[in-house]
Amino acid sequence: MKSTKPISIRAVKREARSLYHGHFKTAIKINIVPIIFTILNVITTLMMMYAMIMGFRDLSQMASNASVTSDNDSAFQQILNIVESVLSDAIQLIFIWTVSWALIEWYENPKELPTFKDAFQIFNRGNFLHTLLLTIVQSMLIFLWTLLFVVPGIVKLFSYSQTYFAYKVDIENGTRQGQLTDYIKVSRRVMAGRKWELFLLELSFIGWHLLGILTGGIAYIYVVPYLNATRVAYSRHLFTLAMSESVAA
């Protein structure tokens, strides 16, 4: 299933803009939850940076006091923090996936505008529990790889990035892989030799991300729908190429 033909970053961005042309209100509507998450994350990050700059001495004192607590309490708190982090990532991933699925259907039928309900299809089409388990597994695997240093975690983030699309294909065909990790394996196969390409696509949005931070997250009202549609356009090309080359082989 490995594909070698390059995918044009300009082309997938152009497809995203074309999909939204004249319908950006609909784009905002179906992306509203990821937009809110992103804006809140930006605001939280900016507030934390401000607190660190303005209260560095207080934070140092808090760290000093925390060091005298028992090892058991510290270990238990670390476990809770890990669980909370993985669950938080999984929940955000669920909302990104369900929006991406709505975008997949929009690409397949450009003249049929998605509804607000379509952006929550994970919850109303009976796939929530299975999807939740899959996002938790993926988030946990990425977390474990990140423990080996940041770079392996980033590499696996790109390697697992197509799990949502592989799962969506099965949903549309009424089929299901034997194990949850099989969808991650499919993503790994189609992303073999493609991680740098996807990295460059994500890097092409660096200016938009800077604008989002400088505006306190407001610019993400435009950036998030544009980015999500571009990612879905890339995935469509990727799986089309992978399947066509697999048949040819």
Side-chain angles (χ1 to χ4, degrees):
M1 192 177 286
K2 179 180 177 180
S3 174
T4 56
K5 184 179 179 181
I7 298 173
S8 170
I9 294 176
R10 289 185 178 181
V12 294
K13 283 186 166 184
R14 185 167 56 249
E15 288 180 17
R17 293 192 298 269
S18 177
L19 181 70
Y20 288 158
H21 183 67
H23 304 294
F24 204 74
K25 287 184 178 179
T26 301
I28 294 175
K29 180 173 63 177
I30 65 173
N31 282 278
I32 190 63
V33 175
I35 289 172
I36 292 173
F37 273 136
T38 304
I39 292 176
L40 290 177
N41 285 337
V42 170
I43 293 174
T44 301
T45 301
L46 292 175
M47 290 177 63
M48 289 177 62
M49 291 176 62
Y50 177 80
M52 290 177 65
I53 294 172
M54 301 302 294
F56 183 78
R57 292 182 179 178
D58 292 338
L59 290 174
S60 298
Q61 184 63 37
M62 289 172 60
S64 176
N65 292 339
S67 65
V68 301
T69 58
S70 67
D71 292 339
N72 289 337
D73 290 343
S74 178
F76 181 71
Q77 186 61 47
Q78 289 180 3
I79 293 174
L80 287 180
N81 290 339
I82 292 172
V83 172
E84 180 182 354
S85 176
V86 170
L87 289 179
S88 176
D89 289 345
I91 291 172
Q92 292 192 49
L93 205 55
I94 281 178
F95 285 103
I96 292 174
W97 281 15
T98 192
V99 169
S100 297
W101 292 355
L103 288 171
I104 291 171
E105 294 174 357
W106 194 359
Y107 270 113
E108 292 173 350
N109 299 286
K111 295 183 179 179
E112 186 175 340
L113 298 182
T115 65
F116 186 67
K117 186 178 180 180
D118 290 329
F120 297 90
Q121 58 184 265
I122 278 179
F123 303 95
N124 54 41
R125 296 186 186 177
N127 302 309
F128 176 70
L129 181 58
H130 198 251
T131 307
L132 176 62
L133 291 174
L134 183 54
T135 56
I136 290 175
V137 170
Q138 180 170 322
S139 298
M140 177 59 74
L141 288 174
I142 291 174
F143 172 80
L144 293 175
W145 278 106
T146 304
L147 291 179
L148 298 177
F149 296 115
V150 176
V151 173
I154 294 176
V155 171
K156 290 302 177 181
L157 183 65
F158 288 115
S159 183
Y160 300 162
S161 63
Q162 306 306 310
T163 304
Y164 82 98
F165 203 97
Y167 186 37
K168 176 63 172 175
V169 170
D170 265 11
I171 291 176
E172 291 185 342
N173 294 331
T175 57
R176 181 167 293 184
Q177 297 289 328
Q179 298 178 353
L180 286 174
T181 52
D182 289 340
Y183 294 105
I184 296 176
K185 291 177 181 177
V186 172
S187 179
R188 288 170 51 197
R189 287 200 297 271
V190 298
M191 283 303 298
R194 294 280 190 178
K195 291 181 279 294
W196 179 251
E197 183 178 71
L198 185 55
F199 172 77
L200 292 178
L201 186 150
E202 295 289 341
L203 188 63
S204 71
F205 279 89
I206 188 66
W208 288 110
H209 287 301
L210 290 174
L211 180 61
I213 294 172
L214 291 174
T215 58
I218 300 302
Y220 278 110
I221 294 174
Y222 174 83
V223 178
V224 168
Y226 182 24
L227 177 58
N228 286 340
T230 301
R231 287 169 174 167
V232 171
Y234 178 85
S235 297
R236 292 177 75 246
H237 281 279
L238 177 62
F239 274 79
T240 298
L241 286 171
M243 287 187 287
S244 62
E245 293 183 9
S246 178
V247 171

